[in-house]
């Protein structure tokens, strides 16, 4: 027999190149990538021994027979061990995050391999696969084609498994796996038909190259611009770590201050800044442990050790106390931190990531430099939020949300001339939940858009149905959340709804808080101008809380200012607070705006506020928020 070995030489070069490239790139080592590495290495051995044995067979008698047997046994182990390892690799890939193998997986992958190995290892005695005669000539044994058959069977199992689990893979990956299988089967058939033509290793090398680029490409889980791993990388890394069951900790840093810079220094410059931050994190945490997990958020995995944690916190604090520089511009950023421990705080990857996101969000919205730890309090808060969220979903699905109305009293007219619409959630499994609790949660996950539209529609429908203006109510106030104010289509959407109900725009007064005005200034302005042009009025809610400043009074076309109940109550208790309130009222009056005082609970408060110059009152002294029916009866008395 005379083997043609050129393809084997090419296969060897190609495989060595893949290996070098593989180890040169930063990558995350997991059980799946471990299988792939094993696949390349065993393939390299197969190429080497295919070449070696072929050359020796071509030169019969050059080596003693026992050595020929040994080399050929090694060659067969590598070649026939390769296919089960490929199937094992596919099992890992198709299992996704859940990498645990069950008994069936082990039997599928290793079962036939055992039979193959027995056949191969006993060959020097039995001559099952091959034999050498006394002249050193090579001969195929009776089981030679059986091994080919088993290999083809393995490939068919791989193809079936890929089809079965195709939903867990990308389309290109499914195609790659099928091409891999098909190429190998064709190569085996070619070798079976023309024995001396050794193409199988070369074709297998090409197939491995395909898999390498399509399934084992580190770019899929890297952030190329920042030269760190991305969120997928974190999932992958955690997969490997959780499997090992050894403790570790994750630090999440949602860098603050970059969001606003996007507008001023431009997105490209912002990327440069992010890169500098990423480099700093890599410097303290090691390149393989830093992940860019959200727009301005990073995560660092570190040792399960208090000392390591303290060092990390100190290093981050110290760096962010100093400014960053960009084109000679000094930029101050903040680094709130969130710490999650494995396995104490969460045991599965999903829960770990979920908790990390939650803690990072809490840290981002918390006070400066406070470290949020995933302790019992945080877990309880998160659990409660989950319950509230489910209650809201149920209320939306079953349409059980209600709108209550709290009348607003006019000092001049001595009757109710307006009302505020306030949402109520029916009693839930976990008891009563007030809007102060559920609205912020609805804002966090975007559900507020649906709830906000529901309230607005309900109010429009109610006003038209009751012809409420005939009962003395000139307009109804509807609260707008920050998230709604950031919707470009808000104005048009509301105008369409009012048109649908044939409700004049002047019957609606939208309440906006100062925070909304700060966060969504441009979008809010555009929405407001469009709505005001159509006759909708606006009120500034919760005046006197947060960072009130006079500019926001002038900047936006408000027609009414609502003084927060806290401010009203403080003034009744404290002389200085009273002075501030008196001056505020005078200032607002001088701007020709109406004033509604909230939280009026007693006649004394009402009298004092009247003397000060407030035009309208809202509070328990007049009425608590009541349902639509009660509100209408209240109004019947109002007009009588
Ligand atoms: P807010 O806009 O400041 O609404 C006034 C809150 O003060 C209401 O609480 C009202 O019941 C309460 N209140 C009024 N007068 C008195 C009083 O004399 N004494 C006391 N102790 N409280 C008084 P409520 O209904 O629990 O609403 C809480 C907050 O939830 C609202 O504060 C508002 O920010 C939000 N909210 C309620 N409904 C909606 C809605 O439909 N959409 C949005 N985005 N937010 C809403
Ligand atoms: Ca309000
Ligand atoms: Ca208010």
């Amino acid at each position: 027999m005379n083997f043609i070995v050129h393809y084997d030489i090419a296969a060897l070069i190609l495989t060595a190149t893949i290996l070098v490239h593989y180890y040169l790139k930063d990558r995350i080592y997991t059980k799946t990538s471990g299988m792939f590495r094993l696949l390349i290495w065993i393939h390299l051995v197969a190429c080497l021994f295919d070449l070696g044995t072929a050359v020796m067979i071509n030169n019969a008698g050059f080596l003693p027979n026992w050595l020929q047997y040994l080399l050929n046994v090694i060659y067969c182990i590598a070649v026939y061990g390769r296919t089960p390892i490929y199937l094992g690799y596919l099992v890992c890939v198709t299992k996704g995050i859940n990498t645990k193998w069950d008994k069936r997986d082990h039997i599928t992958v290793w079962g036939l391999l055992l039979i193959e190995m027995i056949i191969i290892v006993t060959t020097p005695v039995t001559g099952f696969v091959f034999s050498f005669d006394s002249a050193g000539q090579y001969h195929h044994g009776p089981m030679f084609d059986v091994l080919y058959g088993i290999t083809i069977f393995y490939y068919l199992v791989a193809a079936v498994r890929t089809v079965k689990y195709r939903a867990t893979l990308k389309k290109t990956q499914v195609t790659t796996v099928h091409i891999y299988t098909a190429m190998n089967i064709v190569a085996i058939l070619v070798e079976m038909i023309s024995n001396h033509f050794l193409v199988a290793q070369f074709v297998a090398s090409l197939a491995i190259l395909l898999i390498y680029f399509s399934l084992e490409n580190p770019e899929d889980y890297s952030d190329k611009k920042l030269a760190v791993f991305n969120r997928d990388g974190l999932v992958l890394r955690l997969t490997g770590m959780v499997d090992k069951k050894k403790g570790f900790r994750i630090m999440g840093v949602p860098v603050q201050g970059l969001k606003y810079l996007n507008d001023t220094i431009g997105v490209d410059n912002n990327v440069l800044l992010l890169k500098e931050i990423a480099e700093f994190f890599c410097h303290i945490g090691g390149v393989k442990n830093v992940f860019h997990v959200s727009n301005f958020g990073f995560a660092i995995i570190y040792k399960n050790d208090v000392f390591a944690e303290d060092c990390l916190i100190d290093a981050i604090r110290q760096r962010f106390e100093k400014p960053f520089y960009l084109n000679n511009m000094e930029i101050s950023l903040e680094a709130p931190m969130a710490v999650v421990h494995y396995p104490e705080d969460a045991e599965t990857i999903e829960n770990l990531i979920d908790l990390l996101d939650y803690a990072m969000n809490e840290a981002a919205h918390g006070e400066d430099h406070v470290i949020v730890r995933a302790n019992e309090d945080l877990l309880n808060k998160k659990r409660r939020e989950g319950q509230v969220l489910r209650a809201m979903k149920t209320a939306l699905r079953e349409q059980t949300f209600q709108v209550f109305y709290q009348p607003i009293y006019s000092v001049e007219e001595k009757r109710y001339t307006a009302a505020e619409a306030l949402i109520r959630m029916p009693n839930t499994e976990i008891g009563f939940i007030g809007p102060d609790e559920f609205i912020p949660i609805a804002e966090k996950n975007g559900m507020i858009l649906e709830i906000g539209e529901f309230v607005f529609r309900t109010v429009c429908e109610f006003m038209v149905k009751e012809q409420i203006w005939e009962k003395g109510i000139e307009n109804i106030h509807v609260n707008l959340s920050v998230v709604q104010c950031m919707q470009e289509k808000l104005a048009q959407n509301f105008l369409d709804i009012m048109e649908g109900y044939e409700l004049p725009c002047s019957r609606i007064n939208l309440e906006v808080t100062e925070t909304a005005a700060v966060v969504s200034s441009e979008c809010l302005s555009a929405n407001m101008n469009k709505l005001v042009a159509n006759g909708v009025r606006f009120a500034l809610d919760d005046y006197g809380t947060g960072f009130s400043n006079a500019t926001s009074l002038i900047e936006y076309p408000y027609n009414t200012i609502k003084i927060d109940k806290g401010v009203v109550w403080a003034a009744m208790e404290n002389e200085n607070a009273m002075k501030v309130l008196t001056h505020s009222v005078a200032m607002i009056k001088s701007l020709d705006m109406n004033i509604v005082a909230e939280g009026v609970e007693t006649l004394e408060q009402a009298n004092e506020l009247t003397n000060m110059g407030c035009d309208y009152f809202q509070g328990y002294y007049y009425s608590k928020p009541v349902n639509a029916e009660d509100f209408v009866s209240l109004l019947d008395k109002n007009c009588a």
Side-chain angles (χ1 to χ4, degrees):
M1 200 177 292
N2 203 2
F3 289 120
I4 296 168
V5 296
H6 303 80
Y7 288 101
D8 272 352
I9 296 172
L12 206 58
I13 295 170
L14 188 54
T15 313
T17 314
I18 296 174
L19 263 174
V20 170
H21 194 257
Y22 187 94
Y23 284 102
L24 276 183
K25 288 230 162 185
D26 273 336
R27 59 182 66 245
I28 294 168
Y29 294 119
T30 59
K31 189 169 174 176
T32 312
S33 73
M35 272 287 182
F36 183 69
R37 277 194 305 284
L38 192 60
L39 181 66
I40 319 180
W41 278 110
I42 201 164
H43 173 63
L44 186 77
V45 175
C47 293
L48 204 62
F49 279 79
D50 195 21
L51 181 63
T53 50
V55 171
M56 287 309 133
I57 291 167
N58 288 349
N59 299 286
F62 183 77
L63 288 182
N65 272 7
W66 67 267
L67 196 54
Q68 290 275 40
Y69 273 112
L70 182 68
L71 294 181
N72 278 277
V73 165
I74 297 176
Y75 160 74
C76 285
I77 291 176
V79 162
Y80 296 106
R82 187 177 57 197
T83 331
I85 286 170
Y86 169 65
L87 183 60
Y89 169 72
L90 258 192
V91 170
C92 288
V93 169
T94 47
K95 288 223 149 198
I97 286 184
N98 170 23
T99 53
K100 288 256 168 323
W101 282 31
D102 52 33
K103 219 171 171 182
R104 256 186 56 195
D105 295 326
H106 282 290
I107 294 173
T108 320
V109 174
W110 310 125
L112 283 172
L113 177 68
L114 195 68
I115 299 170
E116 284 185 311
M117 289 304 129
I118 293 171
I119 298 174
I120 292 167
V121 174
T122 54
T123 289
V125 183
T126 57
F128 279 161
V129 188
F130 53 83
S131 61
F132 290 92
D133 59 22
S134 51
Q137 286 286 349
Y138 172 93
H139 301 279
H140 280 336
M143 295 268 201
F144 191 84
D145 287 343
V146 173
L147 291 184
Y148 272 156
I150 293 179
T151 301
I152 290 177
F153 178 74
Y154 264 121
Y155 281 125
L156 292 179
V157 174
V160 170
R161 185 166 179 108
T162 311
V163 172
K164 194 170 154 199
Y165 289 92
R166 60 185 178 281
T168 58
L169 297 170
K170 288 187 206 147
K171 235 183 176 164
T172 48
Q173 294 178 329
V174 175
T175 316
T176 308
V177 173
H178 285 317
I179 293 177
Y180 182 102
T181 309
M183 280 169 85
N184 278 293
I185 293 180
V186 169
I188 291 171
L189 293 177
V190 169
E191 275 201 15
M192 277 173 86
I193 296 163
S194 79
N195 272 322
H196 64 289
F197 211 54
L198 301 181
V199 289
Q201 309 318 326
F202 182 65
V203 175
S205 304
L206 286 178
I208 285 177
L209 187 69
L210 257 181
I211 296 270
Y212 177 55
F213 281 125
S214 163
L215 277 96
E216 286 299 309
N217 197 343
E219 277 169 18
D220 284 350
Y221 53 79
S222 302
D223 188 315
K224 267 203 284 187
K225 277 190 190 149
L226 305 189
V228 290
F229 296 124
N230 62 20
R231 206 181 161 86
D232 288 345
L234 179 65
V235 176
L236 212 58
R237 185 66 200 280
L238 289 178
T239 311
M241 298 190 74
V242 167
D243 269 356
K244 283 191 196 130
K245 292 244 177 297
K246 232 179 95 189
F248 61 87
R249 302 179 178 193
I250 316 173
M251 162 81 67
V253 186
V255 179
Q256 301 293 293
L258 285 162
K259 203 165 160 191
Y260 305 105
L261 282 174
N262 253 358
D263 303 333
T264 43
I265 64 171
V267 177
D268 290 345
N269 281 327
N270 224 345
V271 169
L272 288 180
L273 215 54
L274 271 175
K275 196 160 182 233
E276 199 179 323
I277 297 169
E279 268 169 24
F280 162 70
F281 285 140
C282 290
H283 174 69
I284 50 169
V287 185
K288 291 195 176 168
N289 298 316
V290 177
F291 306 84
H292 181 217
V293 289
S294 59
N295 278 354
F296 308 115
F298 291 88
I300 305 167
I301 297 183
Y302 58 103
K303 269 204 298 199
N304 189 18
D305 178 308
V306 183
F307 181 67
E309 185 165 301
D310 288 345
C311 289
L312 188 60
I313 291 171
D314 279 349
I316 296 174
R317 273 210 180 122
Q318 278 171 18
R319 177 62 194 91
F320 281 81
E321 269 164 15
K322 290 181 290 176
F324 286 80
Y325 288 93
L326 190 80
N327 306 333
N328 291 329
M329 197 166 44
E330 233 180 56
I331 294 166
S332 298
L333 298 172
E334 278 174 31
M337 292 175 237
V339 174
V340 178
H341 293 187
Y342 173 86
E344 295 89 338
D345 302 334
E347 293 197 357
T348 64
I349 297 158
E350 287 93 340
N351 291 350
L352 268 172
I353 301 240
D354 209 26
L355 193 59
L356 179 71
D357 280 341
Y358 186 79
M360 281 175 78
N361 191 38
E362 287 286 299
H365 293 105
E367 283 166 29
D368 295 353
H369 298 307
V370 166
I371 298 172
V372 172
R373 287 176 189 279
N375 54 21
E376 205 48 39
D377 284 350
L378 190 84
L379 291 175
N380 283 339
K381 193 171 167 206
K382 185 166 179 289
R383 218 168 289 142
R384 168 87 183 169
E385 278 191 17
Q387 290 170 329
V388 174
L389 201 64
R390 276 193 294 281
M392 280 194 286
K393 279 188 185 154
T394 313
L396 268 181
R397 194 179 54 240
E398 295 174 0
Q399 302 192 333
T400 48
F401 271 121
Q402 282 186 24
V403 175
F404 274 40
Y405 298 90
Q406 186 178 30
I408 297 175
Y409 180 83
S410 158
V411 176
E412 196 186 316
E413 310 240 351
K414 297 194 171 45
R415 62 179 180 85
Y416 302 134
T417 53
E420 177 173 7
L422 293 159
I423 189 157
R424 292 289 177 266
M425 178 146 63
N427 249 347
T428 61
E429 277 173 23
I430 49 167
F432 174 80
I433 309 170
D436 270 336
E437 185 178 2
F438 71 75
I439 294 286
I441 299 174
E443 283 177 337
K444 243 198 224 175
N445 87 336
M447 206 186 264
I448 188 69
L449 294 177
E450 208 176 327
I451 294 177
E453 188 172 322
F454 161 79
V455 173
F456 192 71
R457 278 182 187 282
T458 310
V459 170
C460 292
E461 192 183 324
F462 170 70
M463 289 180 90
V464 173
K465 182 174 150 241
E466 297 293 339
Q467 296 285 300
I468 205 87
W469 39 90
E470 288 176 5
K471 296 177 166 61
I473 296 296
E474 284 152 20
N475 57 49
I476 289 190
H477 292 226
V478 178
N479 289 289
L480 271 194
S481 130
V482 192
V483 184
Q484 285 173 286
C485 296
M486 291 192 297
Q487 302 300 308
E488 257 175 56
K489 283 185 288 191
L490 174 88
Q492 194 53 52
N493 189 19
F494 274 20
L495 289 173
D496 291 346
I497 294 174
M498 287 183 281
E499 199 184 320
Y501 286 105
E502 293 182 8
L503 178 76
C505 293
S506 60
R507 298 292 176 202
I508 292 290
N509 190 319
L510 296 174
E511 294 190 4
V512 181
T513 61
E514 241 158 341
T515 338
V518 173
V519 175
S520 57
S521 57
E522 257 178 47
C523 196
L524 176 63
S525 271
N527 276 321
M528 255 177 140
N529 290 336
K530 188 163 181 175
L531 287 162
V532 167
N534 281 278
V536 174
R537 268 170 272 209
F538 276 86
L540 177 63
D541 204 359
D542 301 343
Y543 182 81
T545 59
F547 35 144
S548 308
N549 60 50
T551 37
S552 85
L553 290 187
I554 315 162
E555 209 175 312
Y556 297 98
Y558 296 116
N559 133 292
T560 302
I561 306 298
K562 295 188 78 177
I563 298 183
D564 186 69
K565 48 185 178 290
V567 176
V568 170
W569 296 337
M572 302 297 153
E573 302 268 305
N574 175 304
E575 222 176 283
N576 281 343
M578 176 58 100
K579 279 186 198 156
V580 172
L581 179 59
T582 314
H583 280 99
S584 299
V585 169
M587 189 247 317
I588 298 166
K589 286 270 72 174
S590 72
L591 291 171
D592 252 353
M593 295 185 196
N594 294 324
I595 300 181
V596 178
E598 276 185 353
V600 182
E601 294 188 339
T602 63
L603 180 62
E604 292 79 60
Q605 290 174 345
N607 287 339
E608 191 115 17
L609 291 161
T610 310
N611 292 339
M612 224 181 270
C614 294
D615 320 273
Y616 298 92
F617 298 138
Q618 179 181 351
Y620 291 178
Y621 175 67
Y622 297 95
S623 166
K624 285 195 170 181
V626 291
N627 67 26
E629 203 182 318
D630 292 347
F631 181 56
V632 173
S633 347
L634 193 99
L635 293 182
D636 289 339
K637 285 178 225 145
N638 185 37
C639 291

